[in-house]
């Protein structure tokens, strides 16, 4: 939202007031906080203090490396819940907070970051900088903190009735020359957000708009800091779009709080952000295998399901999870948790037979938090107070998605217990995972939650947290703390604790592949370790070349799911069962097998990503190469963990251009090397893409014939050394994620500490054994 018309004029219908002076500073006795009284004009004489608004700016040091800034106009205004669930693992002690005062400034030190407030000459000037003086991060300068009335009152007497006015609080942090901004949830537009106006408001808008399913009020700067806006309310940002040199953050209300988090590296920023909002949850090893799903096209009778899975097995494509989407339920009965009796006369027995056949190991079903009024359970839920109500006491209903649907009210503890009991009935029938669809279109007007103290507007985004937490904790209770898996579409800050998330409804186009890459990169920079995408695109009928390019990309995401709306995603239906080496079936088999061989690396990296609050894949290049300016603008490639570089291909021809940062990089398929930094062009068939291994990497691969996801990651493996030097190391974990050993390169260039390896394992130097791949279709 813009409050000015250019630099000189006020926007029509707005009346902004700015903090112009720091009149007084109160220091907290503990030495970890400052409170600034800031009038909206310079106070030069006593009379200036009358009939004058002030803003209170509280600057605190919550823990080392982080500073919070809270701006308030009227301190007496309520601040209703919900609030983000901060410090879920406990708040760290502030060991290095200090206030330093000079004749011209007061500085609050919080470990590696400090805030300095100028106290001379009535200038409004707050600088955030590295404590060691090495770098200024950002600042709040003239006309950068204030509030706005809309419409602008003729005089202040009119504000006695605030029902006629909207009131906003805003801050404008400075943008330095060349600074870029990233994150703010799963955003499908330009990776660098400078120049964009962004509204953080969950919406079901697909992947080709400025709307987002996952709005996260956190952004990362290329200057070594991040900012977390501490509210689930609607937040509007002008990222270099009202003033080119500032990021404006505004919210309707009387207060705005945010945290500035210093790295100095982007990895350290995310580590500290995960202390605030929570580390990602762990996922089991089986979840990294291939998931098969279809949506509106499938009749889920046993014969049809088995035909899909038998077809996959016949083509050497192992499926780890079969997902039953919407129509496991009866039409007009979404979501009553009752299997369609025509297709599932005995769902428990059918699922048992499916698993016993060996065609699939796990089963997932689709749910959403809405109840159609055609469901018999609707009346029960309504009578018990389990559904969201209007302010007049009616159940909130509309005919969006399902006829007369109501929305489960997760602020009611009894509604949560009932919902969990419904989930338990699914688990009893053999369901292992849950896809938590929807949860974005939550009304914020004319509604009252069971907990009536909650702000309906804040609940719009926060609903995603409550919904996914209920389901995730139910999965944990049944299957174990680290065995819970859900597939979530809606999210906000903190839902990284409930993995995993997928990118929503994308089209079957190369542009949608690129949109999905940008969405995954942006969400990863908000601390989400695990992310997936609908391979082939959700909407439309992918031609074979798009399907195959998407397969290559999708099998190098942390999780891989074939899913479509009105067309199947089993490969033989895409290209009339082309049986050649470049046909859809052979290509899917090759990429699925490659991911299985990579599992020793993938699962070890997954544990590391969770511990450090980092994305596993898609990992933005800037996280690994923050000192390379180019890395902050790369939105068509990514890192899978810290050692593999992936560049998806968007052209039918196989032409691709990608960037390699400084160092020696080895092509995974050919063992040929390239030296960065630099841009490179290649041409690929469908069974390869630019997959490069970083120098000084020990890459452990499963056995040649390995196609499973879960196996002994230390037995019969191939240990590949890529341009390694003394001290290079890698950690190996077992299929439960427990560390079993560390491989190191000694001073003589050979491996040490190998006693935990088992079976016929072997070492290859300067790459891997390529005898059995025979990939000769790469042109550079």
């Amino acid at each position: 939202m813009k409050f000015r018309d250019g630099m000189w004029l006020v926007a029509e219908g707005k009346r902004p007031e700015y903090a112009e002076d720091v009149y007084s500073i109160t220091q907290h006795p503990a030495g970890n906080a400052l409170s600034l009284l800031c009038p909206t004009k310079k106070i030069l004489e006593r009379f200036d203090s009358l009939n004058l608004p002030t803003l209170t700016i509280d600057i605190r040091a919550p823990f080392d490396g982080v500073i919070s800034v809270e701006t308030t106009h009227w301190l007496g205004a309520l601040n209703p819940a919900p609030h983000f669930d901060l410090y879920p693992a406990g708040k760290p002690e502030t060991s290095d907070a200090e206030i330093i005062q000079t004749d011209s400034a007061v500085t609050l030190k919080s470990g590696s970051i400090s805030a300095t407030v100028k106290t001379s000459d009535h200038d409004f000037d707050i600088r955030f900088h590295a404590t060691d003086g090495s770098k200024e991060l950002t600042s709040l300068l003239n006309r950068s903190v204030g509030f706005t009335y809309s419409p602008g009152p003729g005089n202040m007497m009119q504000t006695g009735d605030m029902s006629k006015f909207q009131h906003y609080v805003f801050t404008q942090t400075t943008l330095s020359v060349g600074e870029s901004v990233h994150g703010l949830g799963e955003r499908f537009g330009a990776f660098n957000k400078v120049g964009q106006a962004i509204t953080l408001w969950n919406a079901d808008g697909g992947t080709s708009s400025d709307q987002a399913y996952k709005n996260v009020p956190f952004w990362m700067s290329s200057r070594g800091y991040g900012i977390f806006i501490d509210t689930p309310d609607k937040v509007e940002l002008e990222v270099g779009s009202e003033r080119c040199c500032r990021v404006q953050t505004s919210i309707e209300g009387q207060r705005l709080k945010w945290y500035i988090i210093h790295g100095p590296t982007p990895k350290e920023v995310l580590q500290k952000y995960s202390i605030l909002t929570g580390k990602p949850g762990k996922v089991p090893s089986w979840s990294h295998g291939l998931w098969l799903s279809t949506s509106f096209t499938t009749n889920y009778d046993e014969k049809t399901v088995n035909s899909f899975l038998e077809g996959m097995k016949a083509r050497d494509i192992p499926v780890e999870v079969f997902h039953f989407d919407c129509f496991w339920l009866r039409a007009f009965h979404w979501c009553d948790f009752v299997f369609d009796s025509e297709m599932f006369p005995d769902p428990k027995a059918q699922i048992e037979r499916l698993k016993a056949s060996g065609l699939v190991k796990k089963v997932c079903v689709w749910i959403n938090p809405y109840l159609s009024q055609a469901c018999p359970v609707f009346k029960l839920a309504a009578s018990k107070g389990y559904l969201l109500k209007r302010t007049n006491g009616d159940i909130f209903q509309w005919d969006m998605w399902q006829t007369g649907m109501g929305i489960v009210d997760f602020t009611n503890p009894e509604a949560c217990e009932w919902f969990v009991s419904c989930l338990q009935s699914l688990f009893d029938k053999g369901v292992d995972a849950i896809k938590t669809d929807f949860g974005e279109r939550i009304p914020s007007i004319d509604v009252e939650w069971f907990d009536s103290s909650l702000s309906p507007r804040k609940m719009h985004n926060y609903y995603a947290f409550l919904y996914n937490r209920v389901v995730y904790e139910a999965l944990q209770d049944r299957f174990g703390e680290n065995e819970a898996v859900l597939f979530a579409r809606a999210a906000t800050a903190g839902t990284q604790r409930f993995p995993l998330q997928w990118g929503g409804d994308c089209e079957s186009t190369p542009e949608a592949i690129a949109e999905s890459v940008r969405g995954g990169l942006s969400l990863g920079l908000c601390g989400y370790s695990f992310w997936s995408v609908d391979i082939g695109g959700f909407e439309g009928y992918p031609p074979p070349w798009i399907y195959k390019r998407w397969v290559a990309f999708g099998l190098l995401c942390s999780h891989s799911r074939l899913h479509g709306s009105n067309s199947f995603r089993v490969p033989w239906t895409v290209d009339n069962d082309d049986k050649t080496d470049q046909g859809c079936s052979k290509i899917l088999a090759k990429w699925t097998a490659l991911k299985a061989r990579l599992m020793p690396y993938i699962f070890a990296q997954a544990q590391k990503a969770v511990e450090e609050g980092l994305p596993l894949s898609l990992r933005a290049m800037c996280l690994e190469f923050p000192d390379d300016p180019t890395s902050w603008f790369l939105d068509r490639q990514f890192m899978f963990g810290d050692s593999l570089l992936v560049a998806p291909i968007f052209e039918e021809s196989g032409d691709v251009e990608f960037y390699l940062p400084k160092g020696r990089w080895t092509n995974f398929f050919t063992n040929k090397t390239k030296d960065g930094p630099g841009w490179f062009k290649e041409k690929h068939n469908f069974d390869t893409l630019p997959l490069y291994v970083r120098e000084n990497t020990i890459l452990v691969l499963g056995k040649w014939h390995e196609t499973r996801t879960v196996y002994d990651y230390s037995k019969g493996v191939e240990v590949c050394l890529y341009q390694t030097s003394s001290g290079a190391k890698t950690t190996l974990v077992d299929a439960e994620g427990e560390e079993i050993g560390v491989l190191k390169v000694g001073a003589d260039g050979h491996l040490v500490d190998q006693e935990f390896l088992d079976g016929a394992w072997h070492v290859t130097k300067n790459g891997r054994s390529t005898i059995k791949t025979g990939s000769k279709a790469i042109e550079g």
Side-chain angles (χ1 to χ4, degrees), residues 521 553 556 617-619 621 637-640 644-646 648:
L521 291 173
F553 160 47
L556 292 173
S617 176
L618 286 52
R619 181 178 296 184
M621 298 294 296
Q637 62 185 73
F638 55 88
M639 297 293 291
F640 194 158
L644 296 181
L645 183 151
V646 182

Side-chain angles (χ1 to χ4, degrees), residues 705-716:
H705 61 276
E706 190 60 74
T707 58
R708 300 169 298 165
T709 304
V710 183
Y711 54 91
D712 187 340
Y713 301 144
S714 63
K715 186 174 183 179

Side-chain angles (χ1 to χ4, degrees), residues 113-124:
I113 188 174
S114 294
T116 296
V117 184
K118 188 175 181 182
T119 57
S120 60
D121 302 327
H122 299 277
D123 289 337
F124 186 87

Side-chain angles (χ1 to χ4, degrees), residues 681-710:
K681 292 182 179 181
E682 291 180 353
K683 188 182 184 71
H684 289 256
N685 281 343
F686 294 106
D687 55 350
T688 61
L689 53 60
L691 177 61
Y692 278 83
V693 186
R694 194 175 184 174
E695 65 182 3
N696 219 30
T697 291
I698 304 174
L699 182 65
V700 180
L701 300 174
K703 293 176 286 189
W704 274 111
H705 61 276
E706 190 60 74
T707 58
R708 300 169 298 165
T709 304
V710 183

Side-chain angles (χ1 to χ4, degrees), residues 385-388 407-412 415 448-451 463:
Y386 297 164
L387 301 178
L388 176 62
I407 298 172
V408 177
D409 185 344
F410 291 111
T411 74
N412 182 344
E448 185 173 290
W449 294 89
F450 175 82
D451 183 350
Y463 187 86

Side-chain angles (χ1 to χ4, degrees), residues 422-444:
C422 296
L423 296 173
Q424 294 288 358
S425 70
L426 297 178
F427 304 153
D428 291 341
K429 293 178 176 65
V431 171
D432 306 283
I434 300 291
K435 174 181 170 181
T436 52
D437 206 351
F438 291 87
E440 302 93 1
R441 291 175 177 166
I442 305 301
S444 59

Side-chain angles (χ1 to χ4, degrees), residues 78-84 232 451-459 462:
L78 298 176
N79 186 20
H83 306 295
F84 285 128
D451 183 350
S452 59
S453 68
L454 300 177
S455 161
R457 201 172 62 221
K458 290 182 180 179
M459 277 296 297
Y462 196 70

Side-chain angles (χ1 to χ4, degrees), residues 261-273 612 614 623:
I261 305 169
H262 183 230
T265 69
K267 283 187 176 181
E268 290 171 298
V269 171
L270 284 184
Q271 289 166 11
K272 293 169 186 174
Y273 172 71
E612 298 180 358
L614 302 176
L623 283 173

